[in-house]
Amino acid sequence: MPFPISGSSFQLQNVYIESVATSAGKLEGEGPIGNYFDLVYHDNYLGKDSYELAEIQMIEDALQISLEKAGVIQKEIDLFIGSDLNNQITATNYFSKRLERPMYGIYSACASVGQGIQLGSLLLENEAMERINIFVSSHNACAERQFRYPNEYGIQKPITSTFTATGAVNILLSTEKSKVRVESITLGRVIDMLQTNPNDMGKAMAPSAFDTLKNHLKDLKRKADYYDLIVTGDLSSYGKKIMEVMMEREGIVPKEYNDCGCLLYDSTQPVFQGGSGPTCSGLVTFGYLYQKILQGKYQRILVLPTGALLNPVMTNQKQSIPCISHAFSLEVV
Amino acid sequence: MNKQEYENLAQSVSPKPCRKKNAGYAFLVGGIIGAIGQFFLELYQNIFMINEQDATPYMIVTMVLLACILTGFGIYDKLGSFAGAGSFIPITGFANSMTSSAMEGKSEGIVLGIGANVFKLGGTVITFGIVSSFVVGGIRYAISYFW
């Protein structure tokens, strides 16, 4: 194995991003980075009978755009890796009925985009495969009804709530050279800080992002200012503040730090602390930041998608929420 | 970092809900809902000449109907998001919990979707309503036995 694991990180040499595509919901399209998405929908149903079917359609659209951009047909892809937030990763599995190639369904809640990239990158790095397609999706209405209350239920949400982003992200990784590559990955471990409030994800997930960040810097012997930007997945305003305090205490000084949940929406939009969900980090990283890398604003960025691996039944049983963060860094070639 | 330290750290930057504003909105909206109920009660009593005992259920049914319609149009949840307990506590809040649950279940069919889901949130209100009325009624009965 040419590039062995150091701690919990790998440095990669030949994993490139061939193309990316994003499809986003109405609210995301109206946000400050709405112009960067390939496709913005104007209703929650997309003309389908249910929200679940709409989510599947969003994945389909993102995949088609991505394949068109790369000029690749489905048969040339060795493996699909997919994830979403629904029980039994519904959207991924039901979408995959349309695929002709092998599929892995994975789940790390909102950190799924990180896990997908890591899994794909390792397979590509070891030259087991040549082209892997990763997709993630989430739909606000599906997530609300599964994790919280019915959509039309008139309840006042706590101020610490976050808003699950609607959309799908498709990332085509390949071993062929392109402009941006996946430079390193750090596998996350489950961190539990005894948080039991399902309406306060930022506070629950911040320690996991911090743990992965610390491991990443230690494993690869880097300083935080090695990266032009360090971005966490969906800690949102409150979690971001906690993360900033923790970094300050440990003496980690990044050049620029931000959170995808804060970048995706405007503070005037009704999203409480900010965005969440696997598409939140996906849309911001591969919709917005990827474009910024291509434009030359950033040379190297570190992305720390964070996931709260909660289950509503266990939450009701007053069990604390396990959290995870799978990091990857992107670099201009 | 241990868990207590983390809790302290997180508390120090925690966002604070604006309780005065929330209470104000709840008071205002709850009061308006109450006033609308009173309007219907007066209407049924004075225009339709129904006595107060019969007019009360008519008023409740009217309010429930209005809440269901507003839920269906996607207005009641927006009202609830800023009014909080003001729109949640009155009977209209109960109607909203049932309608919203039924709407969620619609895609799964009439029997297993709407039928099974309609009391998903409201069921707990009914259960504890009956249990508490049984307990309170029992206490009242026991007291009346000695007095």
Side-chain angles (χ1 to χ4, degrees):
Chain A
M1 203 159 64
F3 302 101
I5 191 165
S6 64
S8 43
S9 306
F10 288 92
Q11 262 183 297
L12 310 170
Q13 297 296 322
N14 45 19
V15 183
Y16 298 92
I17 294 177
E18 192 166 6
S19 78
V20 298
T22 47
S23 58
K26 182 167 179 261
L27 207 59
E28 290 70 25
E30 289 166 356
I33 59 169
N35 293 335
Y36 290 88
F37 304 138
D38 294 306
L39 187 61
V40 174
Y41 305 104
H42 294 285
D43 97 287
N44 268 343
Y45 278 106
L46 275 65
K48 303 284 170 190
D49 289 336
S50 72
Y51 295 129
E52 286 76 13
L53 294 175
E55 186 171 342
I56 293 169
Q57 184 61 40
M58 295 193 298
I59 305 176
E60 166 100 56
D61 290 343
L63 174 66
Q64 289 311 331
I65 297 170
S66 189
L67 293 183
E68 272 168 35
K69 277 187 188 174
V72 169
I73 57 166
Q74 217 196 87
K75 286 209 171 89
E76 295 174 84
I77 292 169
D78 297 317
L79 175 69
F80 284 85
I81 300 173
S83 183
D84 62 89
L85 277 184
N86 303 323
N87 285 336
Q88 293 89 35
I89 47 171
T90 313
T92 299
N93 290 334
Y94 280 72
F95 164 70
S96 300
K97 293 196 286 188
R98 306 171 192 183
L99 299 177
E100 301 161 46
R101 298 294 303 159
M103 192 281 289
Y104 272 167
I106 56 167
Y107 184 80
S108 299
C110 318
S112 298
V113 65
Q115 193 190 356
I117 298 239
Q118 295 189 347
L119 189 55
S121 300
L122 288 175
L123 288 166
L124 292 175
E125 182 69 18
N126 287 307
E127 290 166 1
M129 294 181 180
E130 287 180 350
R131 191 176 274 126
I132 294 178
N133 187 78
I134 297 143
F135 59 87
V136 292
S137 70
S138 58
H139 193 305
N140 179 266
C142 297
E144 281 297 311
R145 102 183 229 180
Q146 183 186 310
F147 290 105
R148 294 173 195 98
Y149 294 110
N151 286 292
E152 297 299 333
Y153 190 38
I155 197 169
Q156 195 167 37
K157 288 188 183 147
I159 193 167
T160 50
S161 308
T162 50
F163 185 88
T164 306
T166 304
V169 181
N170 193 86
I171 307 136
L172 193 55
L173 294 181
S174 129
T175 49
E176 264 171 52
K177 269 203 164 177
S178 71
K179 284 175 186 158
V180 179
R181 72 185 185 100
V182 182
E183 190 265 338
S184 61
I185 55 174
T186 299
L187 320 185
R189 50 180 185 166
V190 172
I191 300 290
D192 177 12
M193 277 290 181
L194 299 182
Q195 299 299 315
T196 50
N197 185 356
N199 286 313
D200 194 352
M201 293 304 192
K203 186 177 166 195
M205 295 190 297
S208 67
F210 185 65
D211 182 71
T212 304
L213 174 64
K214 249 187 2 187
N215 287 339
H216 179 86
L217 299 177
K218 195 180 87 193
D219 293 344
L220 302 175
K221 300 184 180 63
R222 286 175 184 168
K223 292 256 182 252
D225 58 11
Y226 176 84
Y227 294 103
D228 299 324
L229 172 71
I230 294 177
V231 67
T232 45
D234 51 358
L235 300 183
S236 65
S237 309
Y238 178 30
K240 185 183 161 194
K241 275 185 204 149
I242 299 177
M243 186 78 183
E244 280 167 347
V245 174
M246 283 197 290
M247 287 199 292
E248 202 185 304
R249 283 195 180 182
E250 291 273 329
I252 298 172
V253 189
K255 270 188 197 162
E256 192 184 336
Y257 165 69
N258 216 325
D259 184 78
C260 296
C262 303
L263 289 167
L264 184 59
Y265 298 105
D266 210 6
S267 57
T268 55
Q269 288 179 299
V271 295
F272 311 96
Q273 294 294 312
S276 67
T279 26
C280 175
S281 43
L283 284 175
V284 175
T285 309
F286 294 101
Y288 172 66
L289 296 174
Y290 179 74
Q291 301 288 337
K292 288 283 163 195
I293 294 172
L294 290 180
Q295 288 168 14
K297 189 179 176 199
Y298 301 114
Q299 297 291 314
R300 301 186 188 98
I301 67 166
L302 176 66
V303 187
L304 299 149
T306 44
L309 308 170
L310 90 160
N311 173 290
V313 176
M314 297 306 275
T315 306
N316 286 344
Q317 291 177 6
K318 304 278 180 278
Q319 296 298 311
S320 57
I321 301 166
C323 295
I324 201 160
S325 172
H326 294 297
F328 60 91
S329 68
L330 301 177
E331 194 179 271
V332 177
V333 176
Chain B
M1 187 184 301
N2 72 31
K3 275 134 197 169
Q4 191 54 47
E5 266 177 34
Y6 179 67
E7 200 62 39
N8 295 341
L9 185 154
Q11 276 307 321
S12 69
V13 289
S14 162
K16 299 277 178 290
C18 188
R19 290 190 195 283
K20 273 183 196 157
K21 198 178 95 188
N22 287 349
Y25 277 133
F27 180 78
L28 203 68
V29 174
I32 290 170
I33 292 174
I36 296 170
Q38 189 63 36
F39 166 76
F40 281 112
L41 194 61
E42 300 283 336
L43 183 83
Y44 293 144
Q45 277 176 295
N46 297 328
I47 310 283
F48 298 108
M49 297 299 167
I50 305 167
N51 67 38
E52 193 180 348
Q53 206 174 358
D54 291 342
T56 308
Y58 288 148
M59 175 274 287
I60 290 175
V61 169
T62 314
M63 294 305 283
V64 165
L65 175 73
L66 284 178
C68 291
I69 292 170
L70 289 178
T71 305
F73 281 112
I75 298 168
Y76 204 89
D77 64 317
K78 291 191 180 69
L79 183 73
S81 69
F82 77 88
S87 63
F88 177 68
I89 298 288
I91 189 85
T92 47
F94 182 71
N96 165 254
S97 80
M98 286 183 62
T99 318
S100 61
S101 303
M103 284 168 71
E104 289 291 304
K106 186 173 158 278
S107 66
E108 289 153 59
I110 292 173
V111 177
L112 292 175
I114 297 176
N117 279 307
V118 66
F119 284 110
K120 203 168 122 196
L121 296 167
T124 175
V125 179
I126 293 177
T127 308
F128 289 103
I130 292 171
V131 169
S132 56
S133 63
F134 174 79
V135 171
V136 174
I139 293 168
R140 183 175 176 272
Y141 180 75
I143 291 171
S144 69
Y145 195 74
F146 292 112
W147 252 272

